């Protein structure tokens, strides 16, 4: 199984000098899940106010996903932690000091394969917010930050075919046209022919349904409180 680049190196800092067992394998993620609660609180406080920050921190603390994934040794918890840490420093700092957050975002980028798709959108939203709220500040540091982020993103994806992670592109339905073709062909074969068939059974509709089903499934009470992820590792 191919995982992202950073988690094994991060975990080795703790696991390397200590005995390899269930406790030591899971402890780094558990610590990062706890600190994620703190940074959700700090980000909400920075953006809104103390009361909403406490509520946000409480929700993160009791979030079944944060608890569930924080008890595993997989790579989602480091990605969440580093993205939250990067968001906090980008919001907190000004001028070229915002570059403190870029290496942190890169760690988040390299911590989880799916997080790579969030890297640029998150940074763009934050930079737009900084520009809108810092009216008297120079815009040049934000432009340089965006260009550096875009270059990192571009170089990674241009070289993806030469990396082990490139073998998992097929898991993203947007890179796997055969998946939608199979769904659409099956639907059309089983449906009664009608003038609206092409309108309601096509690749765009199939992809939208898949994305919606996947997103809604994260709120499933069965997943959250009963069975969890249907993967044996969990």
């Amino acid at each position: 199984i191919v995982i992202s680049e950073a988690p094994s190196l991060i975990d080795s800092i703790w696991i390397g000098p200590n005995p390899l067992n269930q406790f030591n394998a899971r402890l780094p993620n558990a610590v990062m899940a706890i600190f994620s609660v703190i940074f959700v609180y700090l980000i909400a406080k920075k953006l809104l106010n103390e009361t909403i920050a406490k509520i946000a921190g409480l929700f993160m603390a009791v979030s079944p996903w944060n608890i569930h994934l924080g008890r595993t040794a997989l790579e989602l918890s480091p990605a969440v932690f580093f993205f939250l840490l990067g968001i906090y420093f980008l919001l907190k700092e000004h001028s070229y000091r915002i570059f403190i957050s870029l290496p942190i975002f890169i760690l988040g980028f390299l911590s989880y394969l799916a997080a790579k798709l969030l890297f640029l959108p998150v940074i763009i939203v934050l930079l737009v917010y900084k520009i809108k709220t810092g009216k008297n500040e120079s815009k040049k540091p934000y432009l340089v930050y965006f260009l550096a982020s875009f270059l990192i993103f571009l170089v990674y994806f241009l070289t993806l075919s030469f990396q082990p992670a490139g073998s998992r592109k097929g898991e993203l339905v947007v890179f796997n046209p055969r998946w939608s073709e199979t769904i659409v062909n099956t639907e059309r074969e089983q449906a009664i022919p009608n003038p609206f068939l092409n309108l309601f059974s096509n690749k765009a509709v199939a992809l939208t349904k898949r994305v919606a089903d996947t997103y809604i499934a994260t709120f499933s009470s069965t997943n959250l409180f009963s069975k969890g992820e249907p993967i044996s590792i969990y």
Side-chain angles (χ1 to χ4, degrees):
I1 194 169
V2 177
I3 64 172
S4 210
E5 299 82 2
S8 56
L9 298 174
I10 295 167
D11 289 344
S12 68
I13 297 171
W14 170 255
I15 295 173
N18 292 292
L20 181 59
N21 53 45
Q22 290 286 340
F23 177 82
N24 285 329
R26 297 165 188 264
L27 184 62
N29 274 18
V31 171
M32 284 186 277
I34 292 169
F35 275 97
S36 292
V37 175
I38 297 172
F39 282 107
V40 164
Y41 164 80
L42 292 174
I43 290 168
K45 184 178 179 181
K46 184 74 177 174
L47 291 173
L48 300 165
N49 57 58
E50 178 78 21
T51 301
I52 294 177
K54 289 178 179 178
I55 294 171
L58 176 62
F59 270 93
M60 187 65 173
V62 300
S63 164
W65 280 122
N66 191 47
I67 296 169
H68 177 57
L69 294 168
R71 296 172 58 210
T72 72
L74 296 182
E75 64 262 52
L76 184 57
S77 290
V80 172
F81 168 73
F82 287 121
F83 266 80
L84 290 172
L85 184 60
I87 290 169
Y88 174 70
F89 276 108
L90 185 49
L91 290 172
K92 178 176 179 290
E93 301 298 339
H94 299 278
S95 189
Y96 284 100
R97 293 195 301 276
I98 63 173
F99 276 84
I100 295 171
S101 65
L102 187 56
I104 302 171
F105 275 122
I106 293 172
L107 282 173
F109 179 85
L110 296 175
S111 290
Y112 187 50
L113 293 174
K116 293 170 173 46
L117 299 177
L118 297 175
F119 178 72
L120 270 185
V122 167
I123 286 175
I124 290 171
V125 168
L126 290 169
L127 291 178
V128 170
Y129 173 80
K130 293 285 287 186
I131 291 171
K132 292 287 187 181
T133 55
K135 295 180 180 179
N136 297 324
E137 294 182 10
S138 170
K139 307 300 187 290
K140 186 177 178 181
Y142 304 125
L143 177 61
V144 175
Y145 193 103
F146 168 74
L147 293 175
S149 304
F150 180 76
L151 183 61
I152 292 165
F153 183 86
L154 183 64
V155 169
Y156 185 87
F157 276 93
L158 288 177
T159 60
L160 190 59
S161 300
F162 306 101
Q163 303 177 47
S167 64
R168 295 188 62 181
K169 282 199 303 184
E171 295 177 20
L172 294 170
V173 292
V174 292
F175 293 115
N176 189 1
R178 291 184 180 179
W179 173 84
S180 56
E181 287 175 5
T182 302
I183 296 294
V184 172
N185 290 339
T186 302
E187 286 180 350
R188 290 179 178 179
E189 289 172 0
Q190 295 176 347
I192 298 172
N194 64 83
F196 302 101
L197 188 59
N198 291 343
L199 179 63
F200 293 104
S201 181
N202 54 61
K203 293 180 181 179
V205 172
L207 178 59
T208 302
K209 287 168 62 178
R210 172 66 182 269
V211 171
D213 288 345
T214 303
Y215 180 77
I216 293 170
T218 64
F219 298 96
S220 163
S221 58
T222 301
N223 282 344
L224 291 174
F225 300 107
S226 179
K227 294 183 177 179
E229 283 274 7
I231 301 175
S232 58
I233 287 176
Y234 288 149

